[in-house]
Amino acid sequence: MIYLDTVFLSTKIFVILNYNFMSKKKALITGISGQDGAYLAKFLLNKGYEVVGGERQNASGSNWRLKDLDIEDKVKIVPFELLEDSNINDVIKSGKFNEIYNLAAQSFVGSSYKSPILTSNINGMGVTRILEAVRQFSVKTKVYQASTSEMFGNNSDKGKQSEETDFHPVSPYAVSKLYAHWMINIYREAYNIFCCSGILFNHESPLRGKEFVTKKIVTDLAKVKYNIIPSLKLGNIYSQRDWGYSLDYVEAMWKMLQQKKPDDFVISSGMTYSVKEFINKAAKHYDFDLIWKGKGLNEIAIDKNSKKTIVKISSQFFRPTEVDYLYGNSSKAHKILKWKPKTSFDDLISMMCQNELKKFS
Ligand code: NDP
Ligand code: GDP
């Protein structure tokens, strides 16, 4: 009797263990130290995934974003360098991943003019390296590629941009991403690999890199308020962007890989605002009441109460070529993925400003 009980119990344990093993999906997130990598890791952990994060050797170091989200000890970090074929092959061959989210990139448009070759190699060739590794060693693994609205560039249609809109990239960054975007299409068609591109419009958060305009605005306005710097200096404040919240957008990435068929999707908020509108809304959180004066490089914003110059324009921050207008149409994602953004533009700005202000309280 005792023997039978033991057999029954061990079979039960085996079944439970085996079930857990079978049911737990394993994902590789490249660029885990970045904004989206951190939010996606948290999102997938909440879904019960085993999360492996790819990180390059000279990574920014502290993994402050994972710490901020309190998940640093919940993800396994492996060395992952998009410039190195053998490294990518090893990770993908041995990892047996159900899903790979390729979020790693030289992601800043501004730097892509200074380092066009490096940008092309990381963002373009890096994706081919991943796809080749999947094709050779792990053909059942699903791949998500971080494409971008920058690929639409200066398409002269002034309507909203959807999956049907022609691409007209105008920066080395956008060209490198378009190369990767087409490679995803080719590997899907030619080799039947489940790979998708999410054409994501700008998305921000308190974890956004400091070189991007929204983060720069909210941090520098706080520094101006507390007299750490005299003013916020910017380039083109008339470009328009469709800004959303990163945490909302990582859900769409995951949903793309849960579909029956691989496909590409535009992910956007469906609203567009100028950089200047972002500044005006953000300034209110710092009790600045801005009045704009002058034109071009002489344009400034003055605080009505203190008469202090809060914003100045500097030629240093203009780009050699600019995307003037981004405005997304995500109706395909609404329909097929049942995805919609949850966070409004005003709430996003409020969240980012509060996060900066609390550093001074
Ligand atoms: P981040 O700049 O915050 O993160 C980029 C990540 O890529 C970092 O972890 C960085 O590592 C890593 N990385 C850079 N170079 C390499 C390399 N050679 N090998 C391996 N890893 C590397 O970007 P986001 O999280 O904001 O964006 C995620 C992805 O989505 C990017 O591909 C971006 O281009 C794309 N995208 C982003 C949009 C946005 O608005 N945020 C809009 C559309 C697309 P390290 O910490 O070492 O620098
Ligand atoms: P992008 O859309 O991926 O290039 O995201 P960014 O946040 O870098 O830039 C958004 C817009 O803000 C672009 O049109 C920039 O030209 C404009 N911009 C104006 N001043 C600045 C600045 O000082 N820094 C950055 N990053 N962008 C600026």
Side-chain angles (χ1 to χ4, degrees):
M1 190 61 188
I2 289 172
Y3 171 73
L4 275 180
D5 273 348
T6 314
V7 169
F8 178 67
L9 193 66
S10 43
T11 313
K12 207 169 158 188
I13 291 169
F14 174 78
V15 169
I16 290 168
L17 284 176
N18 211 29
Y19 174 76
N20 282 341
F21 174 73
M22 300 284 285
S23 63
K24 195 159 190 158
K25 282 193 184 171
K26 188 176 179 188
L28 171 69
I29 302 175
T30 77
I32 191 134
S33 59
Q35 170 189 252
D36 292 2
Y39 281 119
L40 179 65
K42 178 132 189 156
F43 178 87
L44 294 181
L45 286 167
N46 285 341
K47 291 241 167 257
Y49 276 68
E50 179 184 349
V51 176
V52 177
E55 198 170 270
R56 61 177 167 169
Q57 289 295 310
N58 58 341
S60 21
S62 67
N63 269 335
W64 62 275
R65 292 180 172 103
L66 299 181
K67 273 190 197 143
D68 206 271
L69 298 180
D70 204 20
I71 54 169
E72 198 189 19
D73 55 355
K74 297 188 178 76
V75 297
K76 183 184 169 203
I77 300 294
V78 295
F80 190 92
E81 170 56 73
L82 274 174
L83 296 172
E84 180 55 61
D85 313 28
S86 58
N87 171 211
I88 293 174
N89 291 345
D90 288 347
V91 172
I92 292 179
K93 198 172 178 178
S94 60
K96 303 202 176 2
F97 301 108
N98 301 95
E99 297 168 6
I100 295 175
Y101 295 85
N102 180 41
L103 309 185
Q106 191 301 95
S107 66
F108 185 45
V109 172
S111 300
S112 78
Y113 294 96
K114 291 181 190 123
S115 313
I117 295 165
L118 183 66
T119 301
S120 307
N121 202 346
I122 295 173
N123 299 1
M125 290 300 291
V127 175
T128 310
R129 293 184 184 103
I130 290 177
L131 289 168
E132 264 302 285
V134 169
R135 183 183 72 78
Q136 292 180 65
F137 309 118
S138 192
V139 76
K140 294 276 177 233
T141 302
K142 296 179 175 181
V143 180
Y144 171 86
Q145 165 58 14
S147 280
T148 165
S149 55
E150 288 288 321
M151 301 186 309
F152 295 121
N154 274 343
N155 184 305
S156 51
D157 296 347
K158 270 285 173 181
K160 288 190 173 187
Q161 293 127 355
S162 74
E163 297 80 4
E164 307 304 318
T165 307
D166 288 341
F167 297 122
H168 193 282
V170 296
S171 67
Y173 168 78
V175 171
S176 69
K177 285 282 185 175
L178 187 52
Y179 169 89
H181 185 82
W182 285 122
M183 275 298 180
I184 290 281
N185 271 268
I186 289 166
Y187 276 68
R188 188 158 70 208
E189 296 295 319
Y191 306 115
N192 217 14
I193 290 172
F194 193 114
C195 43
C196 307
S197 292
I199 307 172
L200 269 57
F201 282 62
N202 297 53
H203 46 280
E204 321 293 313
S205 73
L207 303 186
R208 184 61 146 148
K210 61 182 185 323
E211 61 275 38
F212 295 91
V213 78
T214 57
K215 183 73 173 177
K216 179 174 169 184
I217 293 168
V218 298
T219 48
D220 283 7
L221 283 179
K223 288 182 189 163
V224 174
K225 181 178 168 82
Y226 290 100
N227 296 315
I228 295 164
I229 55 169
S231 57
L232 159 66
K233 288 188 185 147
L234 293 167
N236 176 14
I237 55 170
Y238 289 97
S239 59
Q240 283 177 249
R241 291 292 181 271
D242 176 325
W243 278 293
Y245 176 37
S246 172
L247 184 58
D248 290 348
Y249 286 28
V250 298
E251 183 191 13
M253 298 175 186
W254 173 76
K255 284 193 161 201
M256 282 178 220
L257 294 197
Q258 312 316 308
Q259 301 305 301
K260 285 210 171 75
K261 282 199 304 196
D263 204 351
D264 302 332
F265 292 90
V266 160
I267 300 298
S268 65
S269 76
M271 305 287 283
T272 189
Y273 296 94
S274 67
V275 174
K276 190 171 177 176
E277 284 172 292
F278 189 103
I279 300 167
N280 283 331
K281 283 177 182 282
K284 295 207 169 79
H285 290 272
Y286 302 87
D287 302 322
F288 293 135
D289 191 357
L290 298 184
I291 303 174
W292 292 87
K293 289 187 175 161
K295 279 198 165 149
L297 289 176
N298 296 320
E299 187 165 8
I300 52 172
I302 298 170
D303 176 35
K304 210 170 162 183
N305 304 317
S306 66
K307 311 280 180 260
K308 201 169 150 180
T309 299
I310 309 295
V311 186
K312 287 183 174 174
I313 305 300
S314 164
S315 57
Q316 189 191 341
F317 300 109
F318 282 81
R319 291 171 181 173
T321 46
E322 175 67 286
V323 175
D324 298 320
Y325 166 88
L326 291 173
Y327 192 9
N329 170 356
S330 287
S331 37
K332 181 174 167 186
H334 298 171
K335 196 168 159 220
I336 296 172
L337 302 180
K338 313 276 180 257
W339 177 88
K340 275 193 177 168
K342 299 182 182 104
T343 310
S344 70
F345 184 58
D346 286 359
D347 287 348
L348 171 67
I349 294 176
S350 172
M351 185 195 315
M352 292 179 75
C353 294
Q354 296 317 320
N355 179 65
E356 294 309 318
L357 283 167
K358 80 175 182 225
K359 295 177 189 165
F360 292 88
S361 62

